[in-house]
Amino acid sequence: MKKLFFVTALCLFLTTVQAQHRADQQHLSNPEAFTFIVFGDPQGYTKYDINQPLYELCTAWISDNVENLNIKGVLFTGDLIEQNENIVRNRNMLNQTSKQMWEWSSHCLERLDGRVPYIIAGGNHEYGYVRGDEGFTHYPEYYTFERNPKTAEHLVAALPNRMGQVSLENAAWEFEDKHWGKLLVIGTEWAPRDEVLDWARKLCDSKRFEDHTVIFLTHSLLRERTAEYTDNEHYKIQPRNYGREIWEKLLYPCKNIRLAVCGHTGHPASDDGKAAGSSYDHQCNNAYRCDKNSAGKDVHQMMFNIQCLGGGWEGNGGDGWLRLLEFQPDGKTIKATTYSVLFGISPMTKHLAHQTDPFCQFNMVIE
């Protein structure tokens, strides 16, 4: 009996001494809150092999914090890769083929499989040959219903993609919390067709989901800084809807869509003659606005894109920045914060890991 006690105590001791000491462990502001992580446009991580470990660092950090931050899901704003269908490598903008980029992104998401649901909006770079002018995509080959049981268990609806394939590009997931009740997250393809917006609106209005708080995830909705709706973008894909039409056809008429999340737009601070790495860099890659829907309720709309953070278009791909949405137990307040996994992992840089400017740290109240 004494021998068994000694072995047990030794195992506990070794577990304690071998546990990794976290440089900047993040915690919920309220232990009864839960979190959705927003991962903005990681294409800059996948297009260069030297940047790719940063992508996996981010998904490894998310996986490691599922319990600590009570993470219910991860919302990807799209553009997980730089080009959907290309074998010609141009070192001025990428050194990976499309297949290499798709495979690396898929590999990084393996960190989340079986750990937490993830929902991926279709970005323009997931479609066509180069930037989203055509409607074909390899998306359903890599992000399937079967690969992540945590995603599959929350899936409640799906609509075929532009090629008529069964896909998670247009799909809806249901979540539940004792303080917030039932939530519905709807994700869509790049520049969603009218039939996609009609499908989403009918879901929201249906008897099953009419009392849910709905989060809408799409790629293109708001422009950086000004928070104006995207409109008349110079892509050839048809049929299509951009930000202004999405507001008019879906967000405004639906009474229960209370939060919309997007990526897509943004640029380096240097394009405006500002120093890279300043808070202005973040301002150039964020946007927020709040408007009343047809029922007179607030619809919070947020754009978060990281691809130009960390050195611009050809930089490191995003400096490990993530947007954390912490849903408070009052059932109405969402605390948005912006955190860098890359900076936070080292005691030498953890003082840089929290971006606290008003466009990176704010509250949204859903009455």
Side-chain angles (χ1 to χ4, degrees), residues 169-190:
E169 293 160 70
N170 302 300
W173 291 261
E174 186 178 39
F175 299 87
E176 189 166 2
D177 175 73
K178 64 181 179 180
H179 301 293
W180 281 78
K182 293 185 177 181
L183 299 93
L184 185 70
V185 179
I186 301 175
T188 75
E189 65 192 21
W190 152 240

Side-chain angles (χ1 to χ4, degrees), residues 68-132:
N68 184 50
L69 293 176
N70 192 13
I71 301 173
K72 283 193 179 290
V74 185
L75 309 179
F76 286 85
T77 61
D79 284 357
L80 274 63
I81 48 95
E82 178 70 12
Q83 295 179 349
N84 173 62
E85 185 71 278
N86 182 32
I87 60 172
V88 179
R89 292 181 289 191
N90 175 358
R91 195 60 179 85
N92 291 325
M93 63 174 294
L94 53 79
N95 74 343
Q96 300 288 283
T97 66
S98 293
K99 184 176 181 181
Q100 288 173 315
M101 289 186 279
W102 277 113
E103 289 179 346
W104 182 257
S105 179
S106 179
H107 165 76
C108 292
L109 266 65
E110 288 176 2
R111 293 279 191 170
L112 306 180
D113 288 338
R115 292 284 292 147
V116 66
Y118 49 83
I119 299 167
I120 305 169
N124 58 297
H125 288 270
E126 270 91 63
Y127 293 80
Y129 292 100
V130 177
R131 64 169 202 157

Side-chain angles (χ1 to χ4, degrees), residues 56-71:
E56 189 166 16
L57 173 64
C58 292
T59 55
W61 183 89
I62 293 170
S63 177
D64 189 51
N65 280 275
V66 168
E67 290 81 16
N68 184 50
L69 293 176
N70 192 13
I71 301 173

Side-chain angles (χ1 to χ4, degrees), residues 276-310:
S278 68
S279 63
Y280 194 76
D281 242 332
H282 286 269
Q283 190 174 349
C284 292
N285 294 280
N286 280 272
Y288 169 80
R289 65 183 291 163
C290 184
D291 299 278
K292 300 287 186 182
N293 64 16
S294 61
K297 296 180 179 179
D298 287 341
V299 182
H300 300 274
Q301 300 149 79
M302 181 187 75
M303 189 281 287
F304 178 64
N305 186 0
I306 63 168
Q307 70 185 95
C308 290
L309 303 176

Side-chain angles (χ1 to χ4, degrees), residues 299-342:
V299 182
H300 300 274
Q301 300 149 79
M302 181 187 75
M303 189 281 287
F304 178 64
N305 186 0
I306 63 168
Q307 70 185 95
C308 290
L309 303 176
W313 301 111
E314 312 310 324
N316 70 24
D319 270 349
W321 291 104
L322 298 172
R323 173 64 48 82
L324 281 60
L325 301 180
E326 188 178 315
F327 288 65
Q328 299 301 299
D330 63 2
K332 64 179 183 179
T333 303
I334 304 173
K335 296 183 66 173
T337 57
T338 306
Y339 176 74
S340 169
V341 174
L342 176 62

